[in-house]
Amino acid sequence: MLTSIPAAVHTLDIRREVEIAAPAAVVFDTLLEQLGPHHETAPGYPLPMTLEAWPGGRWYRDLGSNTGHYWGHVQVIKPPRLLEICGPLFMSYPAVSHLQYRLTEEGGMTRLTLIHGVMGRIPPEHLAEMGEGMEPWTHTLHKVRERAEERSAAGRPGR
């Protein structure tokens, strides 16, 4: 006999923005690096990832010996204006995320906007953590700003 247990499906919508004193090309390249080899969840907590920066490219953590964590696929990439990734991200339960990083350049400044939509059977304690600022995403945006502004001031262009 098959038994079904009703499970609550939750959704979460997160939006964060940061203004960066650098051209969009520099910010975009820095974003790819920050989501890839420079990725960290908080200051001093590195979590190096691989981001294949093309449509269908994977975003994952390679732990060696054919082990690791799949986070998602590149759904849309339009340098230096847009990056979208869809997949489970850090969640090891029935859930899916859609991340959108949109860059808008105006007068030498770039606005980097993150929109993170989540849907699935998210445990209540994890849902509460994600709703309280999504610190890893806020940290990522601040690291992108810091590194892109340093690159721009040093005259290291992006694409």
Side-chain angles (χ1 to χ4, degrees):
M1 170 185 266
L2 222 55
T3 305
S4 97
I5 301 169
V9 173
H10 299 283
T11 62
L12 186 65
D13 292 300
I14 297 167
R15 181 184 176 102
R16 301 284 181 267
E17 286 188 356
V18 64
E19 295 284 333
I20 303 171
V26 171
V27 175
F28 193 85
D29 286 351
T30 305
L31 174 64
L32 294 180
E33 292 170 0
Q34 194 65 40
L35 294 176
H38 296 291
H39 191 254
E40 56 185 30
T41 58
Y45 290 91
L47 187 71
M49 304 284 284
T50 298
L51 176 60
E52 300 169 336
W54 56 79
R58 297 167 298 161
W59 189 31
Y60 64 97
R61 183 167 183 219
D62 185 353
L63 298 175
S65 300
N66 293 321
T67 62
H69 302 247
Y70 162 76
W71 279 37
H73 279 104
V74 174
Q75 182 173 334
V76 177
I77 184 166
K78 295 181 180 181
R81 303 281 180 231
L82 182 64
L83 175 64
E84 294 183 9
I85 299 172
C86 59
L89 274 60
F90 46 82
M91 296 174 278
S92 293
Y93 36 81
V96 67
S97 284
H98 180 265
L99 279 178
Q100 180 186 82
Y101 292 93
R102 184 172 297 277
L103 293 81
T104 309
E105 187 176 344
E106 296 176 20
M109 295 291 287
T110 300
R111 175 181 300 117
L112 176 55
T113 304
L114 161 74
I115 299 173
H116 181 194
V118 184
M119 176 179 63
R121 286 195 269 164
I122 305 165
E125 62 277 4
H126 203 167
L127 188 65
E129 289 171 10
M130 288 193 296
E132 293 172 3
M134 249 336 252
E135 192 53 43
W137 298 142
T138 302
H139 177 69
T140 296
L141 293 179
H142 290 300
K143 289 300 288 185
V144 169
R145 179 178 62 200
E146 177 183 293
R147 293 182 66 239
E149 288 178 351
E150 287 173 6
R151 288 175 80 166
S152 185
R156 296 191 321 249
R159 298 178 191 258

